[in-house]
Amino acid sequence: MAEFQQRGEDLESNFSECKRLLQEALGRLKELEDGRQEGEEDEEREAELKKVQAEVKKLKKDEKLYAKLIEEYRREEKKLPWNVDTISKEGFSKSVLNIKPVTKEEVEEEKVEKHKTFVEKYAKEIKHFGMLRRWDDSQKYLSDNPHLVCEETANCLVVICIDFEIDEKHALMEQVAHQAIVMQFILDLARTLKVDARGCFRQFFSKIRTAEKPYQDAFDHELELLKERVRSCAQLRMENAMKELEEEEKQKRLGPGGLDPVEVYQSLPKEIQRSFDEKNIQMLQEAMNKLDVEEGKYHLRRCIDSGLWVPDSGEGYDDEEDEDCDNEEDEEED
């Protein structure tokens, strides 16, 4: 009975793995066909296209075979004689307790805290694993440190990748990204087999050492996708950091009225800009007098609020207002 059940589990596992590989192959096939439609034709791409088409054909055939085998297995299962293994079922699968349900926010907070505590405790070991290059070394290190086989390690390795990319240490980023995919494949295998990841990482290393081309291609494909995501994330973080720095610099520059002198300067007429460049007060006054009264007041007030123009005890501003008034009186006499 145990052997029969194990055969069923193996069939389900192989069927799931076949479907996953088929989806990956179909994705690669679509990319290649889209590239051909856009005019990107070359011998290497055509050869790759034919290879992937053949792979898809084989995987579809395997998928049908596994589906048929599972169907046969289930028919055999129904014909089994009744015994304690086949007819006994669990009476109750859960207990109901009168307690307050845990909210989604609380679960997320627990996850964040768990991740933070784990990384702080094992940061050195995680980074060491990220630098390993050989399959044997990685397997031995995980055998000595099985607690590292978890989601927290995979997430931490990705963060390390982003930090290396920001520091322009591209080779180190690619090395750690490789180990992040190793950990992710181990976790995926554990989910497929429905076992603890710490109990199946040796199975992954045995498989990858003798992997057929589709499995190795799937690994390489996921690695390239991760490296692209890391580069995009690093670029976004650098852009955000630059924006924050620019905003800090802008806040430091703000004048007494809360305006940015750089923005105010760029909005001024060319003659007034030149007077500030040459620090020529007479030129500034002449340029102001050429403007409409309201426009002149508008620019002068912005210059004062931004700190571009600092009148001596208010005299500079009063002088300008007097000149504006004189201009208004001359216009009325005319």
Side-chain angles (χ1 to χ4, degrees):
M1 191 64 203
E3 289 176 2
F4 183 79
Q5 290 176 346
Q6 183 61 49
R7 181 159 69 89
E9 290 174 6
D10 291 342
L11 281 172
E12 292 287 353
S13 174
N14 292 334
F15 188 43
S16 298
E17 180 68 11
C18 181
K19 287 197 291 186
R20 188 182 72 81
L21 292 173
L22 178 59
Q23 289 301 316
E24 291 173 354
L26 288 170
R28 294 203 307 277
L29 181 62
K30 187 176 185 305
E31 290 176 6
L32 291 168
E33 289 176 342
D34 290 345
R36 175 197 267 179
Q37 291 174 1
E38 292 171 5
E40 299 177 6
E41 293 187 9
D42 55 57
E43 292 183 3
E44 186 176 345
R45 181 179 288 273
E46 287 298 316
E48 179 69 16
L49 179 61
K50 289 179 181 177
K51 185 169 65 177
V52 174
Q53 286 173 338
E55 182 184 333
V56 168
K57 186 177 179 181
K58 180 180 180 301
L59 287 169
K60 283 183 177 179
K61 185 178 178 182
D62 290 345
E63 185 183 33
K64 289 180 181 178
L65 176 61
Y66 282 124
K68 184 178 179 182
L69 290 172
I70 289 173
E71 187 179 347
E72 290 175 358
Y73 171 83
R74 287 173 182 163
R75 281 202 298 267
E76 289 180 36
E77 189 177 32
K78 290 179 181 179
K79 295 177 183 178
L80 286 175
W82 285 9
N83 57 42
V84 70
D85 293 322
T86 57
I87 66 174
S88 62
K89 300 293 180 183
E90 189 176 11
F92 297 95
S93 60
K94 64 178 180 180
S95 299
V96 179
L97 301 178
N98 187 20
I99 58 174
K100 181 182 177 182
V102 179
T103 64
K104 187 177 179 181
E105 290 75 11
E106 289 173 342
V107 172
E108 288 301 319
E109 286 177 8
E110 287 179 9
K111 285 183 179 179
V112 170
E113 189 59 35
K114 180 184 176 184
H115 176 80
K116 182 180 177 183
T117 304
F118 184 88
V119 170
E120 287 175 354
K121 188 174 181 180
Y122 299 113
K124 186 176 179 182
E125 289 91 336
I126 293 171
K127 194 166 185 179
H128 180 82
F129 175 74
M131 296 301 172
L132 298 176
R133 296 179 179 276
R134 299 175 63 247
W135 298 122
D136 291 343
D137 293 339
S138 295
Q139 181 176 345
K140 184 178 185 307
Y141 194 73
L142 292 181
S143 297
D144 296 337
N145 302 275
H147 54 276
L148 295 182
V149 186
C150 60
E151 289 282 355
E152 286 75 20
T153 296
N155 294 336
C156 184
L157 289 170
V158 174
V159 173
I160 294 171
C161 287
I162 295 171
D163 291 338
F164 277 143
E165 183 65 19
I166 290 174
D167 294 337
E168 298 185 354
K169 297 177 180 178
H170 307 300
L172 288 174
M173 181 277 283
E174 293 185 358
Q175 165 58 33
V176 178
H178 179 276
Q179 295 299 88
I181 293 298
V182 167
M183 186 59 63
Q184 196 56 57
F185 264 60
I186 292 171
L187 297 172
D188 288 343
L189 179 62
R191 279 190 285 268
T192 301
L193 299 177
K194 296 179 182 179
V195 297
D196 191 314
R198 291 169 294 183
C200 72
F201 67 86
R202 294 177 183 83
Q203 197 170 340
F204 163 76
F205 287 109
S206 298
K207 188 173 185 178
I208 197 69
R209 285 192 192 94
T210 58
E212 294 181 0
K213 195 170 186 309
Y215 191 76
Q216 184 64 54
D217 288 347
F219 184 93
D220 295 339
H221 180 64
E222 289 298 323
L223 177 57
E224 290 305 316
L225 288 178
L226 175 61
K227 288 191 283 190
E228 284 301 315
R229 289 196 296 270
V230 166
R231 293 185 187 105
S232 299
C233 189
Q235 182 65 29
L236 184 61
R237 270 180 53 178
M238 287 189 287
E239 288 173 359
N240 290 337
M242 287 299 297
K243 287 178 182 177
E244 289 177 7
L245 184 61
E246 288 172 2
E247 186 60 29
E248 288 177 8
E249 292 297 323
K250 180 180 177 179
Q251 291 299 320
K252 291 176 184 177
R253 290 196 306 262
L254 294 183
L259 297 183
D260 182 2
V262 174
E263 292 180 359
V264 171
Y265 173 84
Q266 292 172 348
S267 70
L268 293 172
K270 295 295 181 185
E271 287 188 37
I272 298 179
Q273 285 183 0
R274 206 171 80 213
S275 66
F276 277 110
D277 293 339
E278 298 180 11
K279 299 180 180 178
N280 190 323
I281 295 177
Q282 183 179 352
M283 184 187 297
L284 175 62
Q285 291 173 340
E286 290 174 357
M288 284 288 188
N289 289 337
K290 292 178 182 178
L291 299 175
D292 177 75
V293 175
E294 292 301 323
E295 186 181 0
K297 286 183 178 180
Y298 168 76
H299 285 302
L300 184 60
R301 171 51 57 194
R302 282 169 59 79
C303 289
I304 293 172
D305 288 344
S306 66
L308 275 175
W309 175 257
V310 183
D312 297 332
S313 301
E315 294 175 2
Y317 184 64
D318 291 338
D319 290 342
E320 289 294 341
E321 285 192 325
D322 291 340
E323 288 177 11
D324 292 337
C325 291
D326 292 339
N327 290 339
E328 288 178 346
E329 291 173 2
D330 292 341
E331 288 174 3
E332 289 174 1
E333 288 175 5
D334 291 343

